Amino acid sequence: MKKFRKVLDGLTTSSPASAGGSPSCGSAAGTPTAAPTPRELDVHETLMSEHFHICKTVRHGFPYQPTCLTFDPVQKILAIGTRSGGVRILGGPGVDCYSQHESGAAVLQLQFLINEGALVTACADDTLHLWNLRQRRPAILHSLKFNRERITFCHLPFQSKWLYVGTERGNTHIVNVESFILSGYVIMWNKAIELSTKTHPGPVVHLSDSPKDEGKLLIGFESGTIVMWDLRAKRTDFRIYYDEAIHSVSWHHEGRQFMCSHSDGSLSMWNLRNTAKPFQVTFPHGKSQRDGRKESCKPILKVEYKTCRNSEPFVIFSGGLSYDKAGRRPTLTIMHGKAITVLEMDHPIVEFIVLCETPYLNEVQEPYAVVVLLEKDFIVVDLTQSNFPIFENAYPMDIHESPVTCTAYFANCPPDIIPVLYSIGAKHKKTGYSHKEWPVSGGTWTVGSQTYPEIIITGHADGSIKFWDATAITLQMLYKLKTSKVFEKPKGAETGRSAELVEEDPYAVQMVSWCPQSRIFCVVGISAHVILYRFSKHDANTTITSLEVRLQCEMEEVISPSDTENTVCLTDPGGHSPQPQPPSPRSNMPDSARDSIPCLRVKDRMIRMPPGYQAELVVQLLWVDGEPPQQITSLDLNSAYGLLALGNCNGLAVVDYLQKTVILCMSTVELYGAADPFQRLTRSPRKNRQSTSGLTELSDNQVSLDLERSKSPTSESRENSFSRSRSSSVSSIDRDTKEAVTTLLFAESYGRKSDALPTPCLWVGTSLGLMLLVPMSIPTDEQERMEEPITVAPTSTVLMLKGSVLRFSFLDCAGCLIQSPYEVWRDGNAPEDPERPRRRKLVNFSPCSSQDAIGDGHLAVVCSERQAKVFLMPSQACLYVHNITESSFVLRADVVAVSNSVCLACFCANGHVMILSLPSLRPLLDVHYLPLTDMRIARTFCFTNGGQALYLSSPTEIQRITYSQEMCDNLQEMLGELFTPTETPEAQNRGFLKGFFGGNAQTFDREELFGEAAAGKASRSLAQHIPGQASVEGMRVAAGGAVGELARARIALDERGQRLGELEERTALMMASAETFSKHAHELMLKCKDKKWYQF
């Protein structure tokens, strides 16, 4: 408990000069102004620096720019590599892990050590890494950096510790994956090919051991040369020279033949008995031309040849279409016997893998699914059904279905909201999926003890909204809403030049406002429109009400430091004037003729709305004198008041959505009245003030960046520039700058210093750092509320901060967060009950924690881009001030609940995450979390309760983080286990005759060939071994201290005990088999004992 002595009484002003604070970035609370009658404010501040630590928790979505794919058929887990050096490992529900190579080099290839809990990655910087997957957060055990050669292909045989590495020079090296030491055994390209060959065979593109004999290694070179290398004899068995370049090779499980895919779109089949020429060459998609030649086809990049026990083999490949079929989408072709099925994909295929029942290559494969990794999607095809349906994806891989333009994060939601949204969303799910279970089911995961309902909302460029269940670090889609259905589709003649600010995506979502208790949802679109939705479990036939607001300044507002007379910039006070049906905003009329029309046309007919969120009201800003409406920069909704407020750089509008009327429409200057702290001049109107620049371009202008925050980005290439230069004080504002409304909040507060009791108020924050209080008189009786008008009386209360105002919040006198009042949800479309008429049920929270303290008022927390202040209401005295930053500016600020207390969380443009205590604004955490930032992160970063936050780490992925030490400590329990001890399936008994005549009678000892004793040491200059995080200290940090060491030792003992148990079982089986054999032999001896030789 801390006791803070501040002056609360006797203060009559709260000027900026009296609450300036020190200019340093890390300053403490500002010095209070002296007063004759001091009083004490006792606040229990329990949060300390020890309560905070920032770390990543989990990443959701599709891996951005994927490059490769692999699968462990025993553990049933899957890994995806990306161009930025990321590795994503997926398993069953809750088993989703993201790891990153520090170098950031692209991952070229992945190889699981099957059923060993390890993964080998080959990166574009010619480095091999061995990852330990037997811990919840994988760590690199070893790395091997090749210095003189470039890695092109890797192959790790099943149950082998020797990794074959092919290089760009055509050589093949061998690495021990246990020690990550290079063997002295090298297959040089000039030894693999004939001495008479005059050309280099090219890079190694394929390596595989023969299913028939593990001592034979098949090496494929890019030029078309194929070599079978005898590892024991260190010579070639045969060489194949083919005219076309090779892309991939696949064996028949018996090891007598293999199939190659080529750059001309052909598949060639080769038999080991005759390697002079292929015994079959096919062009699956090439038709014969009149001259008898096959038409040219695209390369077949990969082929898989898989056999079945009870049917024809599968031949599955990607590519191979003819060049003349322009516009054809990428395809995956499945050949099963004589049937050929072509599956068209929405995106280019990166790689695919066929999942089989057995990990042994010399057994009948029995394929059951195909995992296809596309550039922007991930699908799994069921091979067991003739129509080849796809599986319903178990992971949220469609976050980027349309580019994400905004996010919202809600923790500790009402517990009933998730099941309700899921039940509604389940009715609209697609059908036709495979009925089998999702095949990637490895790992284990249990719901942790600290779980509470969490919902993430994403807004998209096409106007869609997605609700996601984010409980317990998972992510599953609950419900999808399409805002574009509210508007009429543009007709063919109207598809010309549209409004200037909505050139590409007229329905793109800028921001959302959601009240989980009342289930009222608001969406702000880029076309200067707001849609209000109500939730209902029943369908309805209704008409959407449309309100049109004329919110536009007729004169240019110019801030002037000179001592001139204040001038008010007028707007249309009537809100929306009765206009005839406006013409289409997309018609080809000139801009100068556009006046009093919205950017979009709302459907004006009766619409059937399915259960879920149903549109009730649309508020649109209008064109004025040929100028498009400015984008909406702020929004707030209060279900208890039945009011909706929106603002932009022209002013403020307040809408009564219960009575469907506009009750306030004023410019910011009009709100100030005589209390305007700035001197303003009028100028002649300037046309076309709306910027037509790209949606993600930035300007040093203060207001333009505020607008940029809410714009809908659809061009990723323009997101990497970020403005860091901002005006440090409002006195140096650019003369052409407009004052935008940047934040709004309805709350029970004190509109005037003389108020004895709190009343409904609207807090307004602007881009110039000014705060206005707008008191409102709202009827309390339900019938009067629906009939009587609401009176709004802007006061002369003006408070000031440095920089654009970002966030308001309120605390009671004990430092506890005051929630905004709300209306309890009721289904307006439910059947009427005569005995229980529906009435509005409001929940209000008093600003004072006790009646004794009713005169103490409450605390108002205000955060701007540079500063945070705490005011006492109603006296408006500034109690605390903290200058957050001078060199940068705050992008996002939220007052959040952490560890049974509250704090102010800030994210700055320089990548710093800062936590300040409340109400004293003491710095508790300041971490340089993101070294570089861009507009995507700035637009999507948001904090929530429970010490969590999220942002879009890439255009396709959501990264969740925590800044709570408690959650960091419990993170290991929340994550899934990637490795589960599983017995490797035994190889099938080949039978006496098959084993006798089929060869492979002798076992192949790779250690004897590749070990240091036989092969010697490799050249030190060839590759450099880099120890990873597998040292005792590194493992201790990764596993979380001694507890992790004990847990790991326990797991090792369990595995050792399990192996000993398996050994005992096998020994017992061998003994039983020997006894049975002895018994049968004795019986046979007794039976034949007395027989003569001619009786046999």
Side-chain angles (χ1 to χ4, degrees):
M1 169 180 169
K2 276 200 168 186
K3 182 176 290 186
F4 300 98
R5 183 177 295 274
K6 289 294 173 183
V7 179
L8 305 184
D9 297 338
L11 297 178
T12 56
T13 61
S14 178
S15 64
S18 66
S22 63
S24 64
C25 182
S27 65
T31 305
T33 306
T37 312
R39 291 183 52 191
E40 291 185 352
L41 177 66
D42 293 341
V43 177
H44 296 270
E45 286 200 5
T46 58
L47 291 179
M48 307 295 290
S49 298
E50 294 75 23
H51 290 102
F52 297 97
H53 180 72
I54 191 165
C55 68
K56 296 179 180 179
T57 55
V58 68
R59 182 173 292 204
H60 304 296
F62 180 77
Y64 185 55
Q65 294 180 332
T67 54
C68 52
L69 176 73
T70 190
F71 182 72
D72 188 325
V74 179
Q75 287 290 318
K76 305 285 187 185
I77 59 174
L78 181 140
I80 299 173
T82 69
R83 194 179 299 174
S84 60
V87 177
R88 189 80 168 274
I89 302 174
L90 302 169
V95 181
D96 189 339
C97 177
Y98 174 81
S99 299
Q100 175 71 39
H101 292 90
E102 291 184 2
S103 65
V107 182
L108 299 179
Q109 198 172 352
L110 298 163
Q111 287 277 313
F112 273 116
L113 276 67
I114 295 176
N115 203 28
E116 294 292 335
L119 174 71
V120 175
T121 59
C123 297
D125 60 352
D126 305 307
T127 307
L128 298 173
H129 303 275
L130 178 66
W131 293 81
N132 178 19
L133 306 184
R134 298 198 178 205
Q135 54 193 57
R136 303 198 182 199
R137 283 200 177 269
I140 293 179
L141 297 174
H142 301 282
S143 296
L144 190 65
K145 168 73 173 175
F146 280 75
N147 298 322
R148 295 185 298 181
E149 298 203 53
R150 308 217 64 180
I151 299 172
T152 56
F153 195 86
C154 298
H155 170 62
L156 181 65
F158 179 45
Q159 294 181 325
S160 170
K161 67 176 184 179
W162 297 96
L163 174 73
Y164 301 114
V165 181
T167 67
E168 194 175 41
R169 292 185 180 180
N171 303 324
T172 302
H173 301 275
I174 301 169
V175 178
N176 187 322
V177 294
E178 290 182 351
S179 61
F180 246 53
I181 296 176
L182 203 61
S183 169
Y185 193 114
V186 184
I187 305 173
M188 304 299 291
W189 68 271
N190 53 359
K191 293 183 179 180
I193 64 173
E194 290 181 340
L195 295 176
S196 60
T197 306
K198 297 181 180 180
T199 58
H200 190 277
V204 176
V205 297
H206 177 81
L207 292 168
S208 62
D209 49 340
S210 168
K212 185 179 178 181
D213 185 357
E214 294 178 346
K216 304 292 181 65
L217 182 68
L218 190 71
I219 306 173
F221 297 93
E222 188 180 57
S223 62
T225 301
I226 300 174
V227 173
M228 178 69 87
W229 181 264
D230 190 329
L231 293 168
R232 301 183 190 89
K234 299 183 181 180
R235 59 178 178 82
T236 58
D237 272 7
F238 62 82
R239 300 179 181 91
I240 295 174
Y241 299 97
Y242 197 66
D243 296 336
E244 294 295 334
I246 293 175
H247 286 281
S248 69
V249 181
S250 184
W251 281 96
H252 188 279
H253 79 275
E254 292 180 349
R256 296 192 181 96
Q257 59 187 28
F258 58 87
M259 179 181 291
C260 301
S261 68
H262 301 280
S263 57
D264 63 346
S266 66
L267 296 174
S268 61
M269 289 282 292
W270 300 82
N271 197 306
L272 299 190
R273 293 181 179 178
N274 181 14
T275 57
K277 63 178 181 178
F279 72 87
Q280 183 181 354
V281 177
T282 59
F283 288 81
H285 295 297
K287 296 179 181 179
S288 298
Q289 298 176 343
R290 292 182 178 179
D291 56 1
R293 294 185 301 173
K294 294 285 186 180
E295 59 183 351
S296 59
C297 295
K298 298 176 182 178
I300 296 179
L301 301 179
K302 184 176 181 179
V303 64
E304 292 273 13
Y305 185 25
K306 301 299 180 183
T307 53
C308 301
R309 198 170 276 109
N310 300 318
S311 64
E312 295 289 329
F314 279 93
V315 177
I316 303 171
F317 61 88
S318 59
L321 292 179
S322 59
Y323 278 105
D324 64 345
K325 295 179 181 176
R328 283 286 296 271
R329 294 190 290 180
T331 61
L332 182 78
T333 304
I334 302 175
M335 300 171 62
H336 190 207
K338 295 183 179 179
I340 300 179
T341 304
V342 179
L343 305 179
E344 289 191 342
M345 304 295 168
D346 294 331
H347 308 284
I349 297 173
V350 176
E351 191 173 351
F352 71 90
I353 285 182
V354 180
L355 309 188
C356 301
E357 296 288 352
T358 175
Y360 296 94
L361 296 179
N362 58 358
E363 296 179 358
V364 179
Q365 298 296 286
E366 290 292 343
Y368 60 89
V370 183
V371 177
V372 187
L373 179 64
L374 309 176
E375 280 190 0
K376 295 184 179 180
D377 204 356
F378 173 82
I379 63 172
V380 181
V381 182
D382 186 358
L383 292 179
T384 62
Q385 301 182 42
S386 58
N387 58 341
F388 304 126
I390 65 171
F391 289 85
E392 185 176 4
N393 208 319
Y395 318 116
M397 293 291 187
D398 57 346
I399 293 175
H400 63 289
E401 186 178 15
S402 174
V404 177
T405 55
C406 72
T407 59
Y409 194 3
F410 300 87
N412 215 357
C413 301
D416 60 335
I417 191 70
I418 290 179
V420 168
L421 287 173
Y422 179 79
S423 63
I424 297 296
K427 299 176 182 178
H428 303 285
K429 280 191 174 183
K430 296 179 181 178
T431 58
Y433 292 113
S434 172
H435 299 295
K436 295 202 169 184
E437 292 185 0
W438 180 254
V440 187
S441 56
T444 55
W445 176 76
T446 56
V447 179
S449 56
Q450 298 180 344
T451 58
Y452 42 82
E454 299 175 69
I455 287 181
I456 294 173
I457 300 176
T458 56
H460 300 265
D462 63 353
S464 61
I465 304 285
K466 292 181 180 179
F467 291 77
W468 305 86
D469 178 9
T471 306
I473 70 168
T474 61
L475 195 72
Q476 291 293 327
M477 193 166 76
L478 295 171
Y479 176 73
K480 183 178 179 179
L481 175 68
K482 294 182 179 180
T483 62
S484 59
K485 291 186 175 181
V486 171
F487 303 101
E488 297 282 2
K489 292 182 179 180
K491 297 180 182 179
E494 299 174 352
T495 56
R497 181 169 175 263
S498 62
E500 291 182 14
L501 73 162
V502 288
E503 292 179 352
E504 297 177 359
D505 300 299
Y507 311 113
V509 179
Q510 278 185 281
M511 65 183 80
V512 296
S513 178
W514 186 45
C515 178
Q517 290 80 11
S518 63
R519 302 183 187 176
I520 293 180
F521 185 59
C522 266
V523 180
V524 175
I526 198 173
S527 299
H529 64 269
V530 179
I531 310 174
L532 184 138
Y533 290 88
R534 286 185 182 270
F535 186 84
S536 176
K537 296 180 180 179
H538 307 273
D539 55 1
N541 293 312
T542 57
T543 303
I544 302 172
T545 304
S546 176
L547 292 180
E548 296 171 357
V549 179
R550 188 182 175 92
L551 188 62
Q552 188 89 3
C553 291
E554 300 296 336
M555 307 293 278
E556 181 77 12
E557 294 183 16
V558 179
I559 313 293
S560 174
S562 61
D563 295 327
T564 55
E565 186 177 352
N566 290 355
T567 307
V568 175
C569 186
L570 299 177
T571 62
D572 183 4
H576 66 292
S577 55
Q579 299 283 344
Q581 180 66 29
S584 168
R586 288 181 171 269
S587 59
N588 292 324
M589 69 169 66
D591 286 351
S592 59
R594 298 185 183 181
D595 185 58
S596 299
I597 61 170
C599 293
L600 301 172
R601 179 184 292 175
V602 180
K603 293 180 179 178
D604 56 358
R605 61 184 182 276
M606 188 74 69
I607 303 173
R608 181 193 174 278
M609 298 185 182
Y613 273 103
Q614 301 168 350
E616 179 179 293
L617 175 68
V618 177
V619 182
Q620 290 183 284
L621 304 186
L622 301 176
W623 282 67
V624 178
D625 296 332
E627 294 186 20
Q630 302 291 323
Q631 292 180 17
I632 297 170
T633 56
S634 57
L635 174 79
D636 192 44
L637 162 78
N638 190 281
S639 58
Y641 303 158
L643 297 179
L644 173 70
L646 57 97
N648 64 4
C649 63
N650 286 330
L652 170 70
V654 180
V655 176
D656 182 348
Y657 65 79
L658 296 179
Q659 297 185 22
K660 309 292 192 300
T661 58
V662 179
I663 62 175
L664 179 71
C665 182
M666 303 177 72
S667 70
T668 315
V669 181
E670 289 179 303
L671 292 173
Y672 292 130
D676 191 349
F678 292 104
Q679 306 296 323
R680 303 175 191 258
L681 294 173
T682 59
R683 283 171 53 178
S684 59
R686 187 177 61 202
K687 300 296 182 182
N688 297 326
R689 286 171 292 183
Q690 174 66 31
S691 172
T692 59
S693 61
L695 292 174
T696 54
E697 291 181 11
L698 290 177
S699 167
D700 289 338
N701 183 297
Q702 189 166 3
V703 177
S704 62
L705 183 55
D706 296 323
L707 298 178
E708 292 292 348
R709 281 201 190 92
S710 56
K711 286 185 178 181
S712 165
T714 54
S715 174
E716 192 63 30
S717 62
R718 293 176 291 184
E719 288 191 350
N720 294 324
S721 60
F722 205 88
S723 172
R724 297 172 184 267
S725 59
R726 302 294 298 274
S727 173
S728 59
S729 67
V730 292
S731 62
S732 61
I733 294 294
D734 181 16
R735 295 178 62 88
D736 289 340
T737 298
K738 282 188 173 184
E739 184 176 11
V741 177
T742 54
T743 185
L744 296 164
L745 183 64
F746 289 103
E748 295 282 320
S749 186
Y750 301 86
R752 301 170 182 83
K753 295 181 181 180
S754 59
D755 288 350
L757 295 174
T759 57
C761 293
L762 174 62
W763 284 64
V764 182
T766 74
S767 57
L768 300 187
L770 299 181
M771 294 168 288
L772 308 171
L773 271 72
V774 182
M776 297 171 293
S777 177
I778 302 177
T780 56
D781 181 74
E782 183 172 353
Q783 185 173 356
E784 291 180 359
R785 174 66 185 85
M786 300 302 296
E787 298 174 356
E788 297 293 329
I790 293 177
T791 57
V792 180
T795 65
S796 59
T797 300
V798 178
L799 307 175
M800 183 176 286
L801 276 82
K802 291 181 182 178
S804 177
V805 182
L806 299 179
R807 187 67 59 195
F808 295 123
S809 190
F810 302 100
L811 308 178
D812 63 17
C813 302
C816 299
L817 187 65
I818 302 173
Q819 298 183 27
S820 297
Y822 63 86
E823 175 189 1
V824 178
W825 174 73
R826 54 186 180 134
D827 196 336
N829 296 331
E832 290 279 357
D833 188 352
E835 298 180 359
R836 298 180 61 186
R838 285 199 298 265
R839 297 180 61 85
R840 295 184 74 212
K841 183 180 178 182
L842 306 182
V843 178
N844 200 356
F845 299 93
S846 173
C848 299
S849 56
S850 65
Q851 291 297 323
D852 297 336
I854 194 73
D856 288 346
H858 66 85
L859 303 176
V861 181
V862 188
C863 185
S864 73
E865 289 177 330
R866 301 186 182 278
Q867 205 174 46
K869 287 186 179 182
V870 177
F871 296 92
L872 177 70
M873 305 300 292
S875 68
Q876 301 174 13
C878 180
L879 303 182
Y880 307 99
V881 60
H882 178 74
N883 292 327
I884 300 173
T885 177
E886 291 291 343
S887 59
S888 183
F889 55 94
V890 178
L891 289 168
R892 178 78 185 206
D894 290 290
V895 175
V896 292
V898 180
S899 301
N900 299 320
S901 188
V902 290
C903 60
L904 176 64
C906 303
F907 174 61
C908 298
N910 58 9
H912 281 249
V913 175
M914 307 176 71
I915 307 294
L916 304 176
S917 69
L918 289 176
S920 66
L921 299 177
R922 288 180 300 111
L924 299 175
L925 179 73
D926 186 355
V927 177
H928 188 215
Y929 174 66
L930 291 171
L932 292 175
T933 187
D934 53 30
M935 277 307 299
R936 181 184 61 251
I937 297 176
R939 189 180 61 253
T940 58
F941 198 104
C942 55
F943 297 96
T944 190
N945 297 327
Q948 296 195 74
L950 66 80
Y951 60 93
L952 229 66
S953 58
S954 73
T956 63
E957 295 168 289
I958 291 176
Q959 177 68 58
R960 291 165 69 177
I961 66 173
T962 180
Y963 48 92
S964 165
Q965 181 67 58
E966 182 182 7
M967 189 168 184
C968 289
D969 294 339
N970 298 323
L971 188 58
Q972 290 292 328
E973 299 178 5
M974 302 169 67
L975 298 174
E977 289 276 4
L978 299 174
F979 177 78
T980 53
T982 306
E983 184 177 354
T984 302
E986 293 187 4
Q988 295 178 1
N989 188 2
R990 304 185 67 194
F992 174 76
L993 293 176
K994 195 168 186 180
F996 184 78
F997 293 106
N1000 201 20
Q1002 56 178 329
T1003 57
F1004 176 57
D1005 188 358
R1006 293 185 176 90
E1007 181 69 33
E1008 184 180 337
L1009 277 177
F1010 307 145
E1012 186 176 333
K1017 292 183 178 180
S1019 172
R1020 290 185 178 181
S1021 62
L1022 183 60
Q1024 176 188 0
H1025 177 261
I1026 305 170
Q1029 303 170 5
S1031 64
V1032 175
E1033 188 64 31
M1035 291 288 285
R1036 184 178 295 114
V1037 172
V1043 176
E1045 290 289 335
L1046 292 173
R1048 202 162 47 254
R1050 188 183 69 249
I1051 293 173
L1053 286 173
D1054 291 343
E1055 292 176 357
R1056 185 169 179 268
Q1058 185 178 0
R1059 292 194 185 102
L1060 289 174
E1062 293 174 359
L1063 183 61
E1064 290 179 1
E1065 291 177 2
R1066 291 177 182 174
T1067 305
L1069 289 173
M1070 290 176 65
M1071 291 179 63
S1073 177
E1075 290 178 0
T1076 305
F1077 179 77
S1078 175
K1079 180 181 176 182
H1080 288 319
H1082 184 68
E1083 291 176 354
L1084 184 62
M1085 183 269 294
L1086 294 176
K1087 183 177 180 181
C1088 301
K1089 180 180 179 181
D1090 299 327
K1091 289 187 178 182
K1092 303 295 183 181
W1093 64 269
Y1094 52 82
Q1095 292 178 322
F1096 285 97

